Amino acid sequence: MVLKTGAGVLADRRRLPTALRAVLGYYADTGVFDAGSLSLKSEIDERTEAMVNDVTDRIEDALEDEFGRPVEFSYDTKLILPAQLTLGYVYRNARQQAPGDPVIDAIANGVPTVDETALEQGPAQDLAPREMVVRAEQMTRLSIEALIDGDMRDAINDDEFEDFEVDFDASEADRRRVAEVAQSALQSHLDGLLEDMPPVVENAYQWAVDYSEAHQDRDDYFRELMTAAEDGDADALTDIREAYKFAEYDEEPATLTETEKELPYSKTQYARVGVLYDGMLDLYRLAGLDIDDEFAKAIVLAIIGAQVWLDDVDDYDDDRAEGQLTPVTAEYLLAPDDEAAYRRVVDVTEQYLDLAKSYATAADSPLTGVAVEYIYRSGDPDVLPGKPE
């Protein structure tokens, strides 16, 4: 108890690195400390960085063709975190089943020691630990491409190009062109990967994309509601509460239960980002990998919480000025004053992240639990108006 209390005190010291505070905070909250997960994170970061570099190389080739000169490209996205955590989850399970297996360690370090054609044989039950990590690598590579592609689609849909970085002085028109070329190159390669896989994989991916795009198609409607609410329309406020904050699911989510469906903004944020990760986890399952329901819920809830706590909080001023409805801008319309709105944003975030952390612990995935804690401790709600004195 004394150790947990001391860890909690240290976790609240902002001068310490956020990653360390996250480890301490998760231990203080749950009593779980797994040193192996810290080294596992380094392995996962290296493997997935190599996968992202492959994506970047492919995009740079397309940009060179488009602009007639070599172009250095980077794209800042945090949305591949769930793919990293899922790869770590499978690695950990495989090592628990076959401790000290040098082939598993070699695969984790990027050494192609096993024939990586397992998925072509179709899903299987009771995979050997070595084949588990091979299939997890395949699915993580596919998932990273799919997630970056989806994030790029959202950025283009929202006319948000500031995260597309190139090594020349790009105008706004150039940034749009860069974004569209990058997304097109990624989609073309992704389509080719999916064509080589069993139809059930492509169907699962397309279902998630269609579900998400149906939400994007309502963006103009939500913008109209926000504009009307800003002008004092009481009916618009009622519609935001009923159609955005507490919207009912018209198609059941694959992962979430009644507990999660009743959370504020559950349906709209599931459609906005959560469904893409439900679809991602389906890909791992279709590859024959055992993905625990608690782990899946932890991933979906964590990414929704991160979207609100990191992106929507940071973008509040811009979103308010541009008429973009998010859980954060919605609360500043629905609450009686700024302080109440501030408290509601914190409360909504904590509902998602606390549940995600509890599911991560139940799934025996300390790496995910620490990641949820990291998300929470990375947020800065003080940029919002109405902070209580």
Side-chain angles (χ1 to χ4, degrees):
M1 181 62 72
V2 173
L3 287 175
K4 288 176 64 178
T5 301
V9 171
L10 290 173
D12 289 334
R13 293 186 177 175
R14 292 182 176 271
R15 289 174 295 179
L16 293 177
T18 305
L20 175 59
R21 294 172 61 218
V23 172
L24 293 169
Y26 183 64
Y27 171 66
D29 191 34
T30 65
V32 175
F33 180 81
D34 180 42
S37 290
L38 303 181
S39 60
L40 177 59
K41 181 182 183 304
S42 296
E43 290 181 66
I44 297 302
D45 287 347
E46 289 180 8
R47 293 297 297 127
T48 52
E49 182 180 357
M51 296 175 188
V52 171
N53 287 340
D54 288 344
V55 171
T56 300
D57 290 344
R58 191 171 302 112
I59 289 172
E60 288 181 344
D61 289 343
L63 290 173
E64 182 174 357
D65 291 342
E66 179 71 16
F67 288 93
R69 48 150 289 190
V71 176
E72 291 185 11
F73 171 85
S74 65
Y75 181 65
D76 182 24
T77 178
K78 308 176 186 69
L79 296 183
I80 66 167
L81 175 62
Q84 295 173 306
L85 294 174
T86 307
L87 182 60
Y89 175 78
V90 176
Y91 276 172
R92 188 169 189 267
N93 288 346
R95 283 172 169 161
Q96 286 177 337
Q97 293 181 34
D101 187 322
V103 175
I104 291 176
D105 291 338
I107 297 170
N109 289 311
V111 180
T113 56
V114 176
D115 179 22
E116 298 189 9
T117 60
L119 186 66
E120 297 173 7
Q121 302 167 12
Q125 300 299 321
D126 301 323
L127 296 180
R130 292 181 181 184
E131 191 167 345
M132 286 170 59
V133 296
V134 170
R135 294 193 180 196
E137 288 261 332
Q138 290 176 314
M139 289 298 95
T140 301
R141 187 176 296 275
L142 174 64
S143 296
I144 283 175
E145 292 207 26
L147 293 169
I148 295 176
D149 175 67
D151 197 33
M152 286 183 173
R153 289 171 187 262
D154 287 345
I156 294 170
N157 181 65
D158 295 337
D159 292 325
E160 295 177 352
F161 307 116
E162 61 271 12
D163 290 334
F164 293 84
E165 296 290 340
V166 289
D167 62 342
F168 62 89
D169 187 15
S171 66
E172 189 67 14
D174 286 334
R175 287 186 180 277
R176 170 172 279 279
R177 190 173 163 205
V178 166
E180 291 174 344
V181 169
Q183 191 277 319
S184 178
L186 198 51
Q187 180 181 345
S188 177
H189 185 259
L190 188 59
D191 288 346
L193 290 178
L194 290 169
E195 286 176 3
D196 292 337
M197 293 186 177
V200 66
V201 174
E202 184 173 6
N203 291 341
Y205 167 76
Q206 194 59 50
W207 172 83
V209 170
D210 290 345
Y211 196 113
S212 179
E213 289 184 346
H215 174 75
Q216 291 180 23
D217 290 342
R218 302 191 71 197
D219 189 58
D220 287 342
Y221 167 67
F222 290 134
R223 286 177 180 272
E224 290 170 4
L225 284 183
M226 183 167 174
T227 299
E230 293 272 22
D231 292 338
D233 187 332
D235 289 339
L237 286 174
T238 298
D239 289 343
I240 288 174
R241 186 176 291 106
E242 294 179 357
Y244 193 76
K245 184 173 182 176
F246 294 113
E248 294 185 2
Y249 283 85
D250 46 12
E251 184 175 350
E252 288 299 304
T255 293
L256 306 184
T257 63
E258 287 301 320
T259 297
E260 297 81 47
K261 288 193 294 183
E262 291 176 358
L263 291 170
Y265 305 103
S266 177
K267 195 269 183 182
T268 50
Q269 301 315 295
Y270 177 81
R272 182 186 181 194
V273 290
V275 68
L276 298 176
Y277 297 97
D278 243 356
M280 178 199 80
L281 293 165
D282 272 347
L283 299 182
Y284 286 88
R285 287 171 171 143
L286 290 169
L289 295 163
D290 183 17
I291 302 297
D292 188 90
D293 286 345
E294 279 71 24
F295 176 80
K297 286 187 283 191
I299 291 294
V300 172
L301 294 172
I303 202 65
I304 292 175
Q307 180 71 42
V308 175
W309 194 234
L310 303 181
D311 290 354
D312 294 344
V313 166
D314 285 349
D315 294 343
Y316 169 75
D317 287 334
D318 290 340
D319 288 340
R320 192 75 183 258
E322 296 166 7
Q324 182 69 50
L325 193 61
T326 70
V328 178
T329 56
E331 287 301 348
Y332 277 86
L333 292 170
L334 296 172
D337 54 54
D338 284 355
E339 182 174 334
Y342 180 101
R343 293 182 185 277
R344 288 185 186 182
V345 170
V346 173
D347 178 64
V348 166
T349 301
E350 289 179 345
Q351 287 184 62
Y352 279 96
L353 296 184
D354 285 349
L355 263 179
K357 190 160 52 176
S358 68
Y359 284 132
T361 304
D364 190 25
S365 180
L367 189 64
T368 304
V370 171
V372 175
E373 190 76 23
Y374 184 88
I375 290 167
Y376 183 66
R377 294 183 180 276
S378 298
D380 183 17
D382 292 353
V383 301
L384 297 174
K387 178 186 176 182
E389 294 297 332

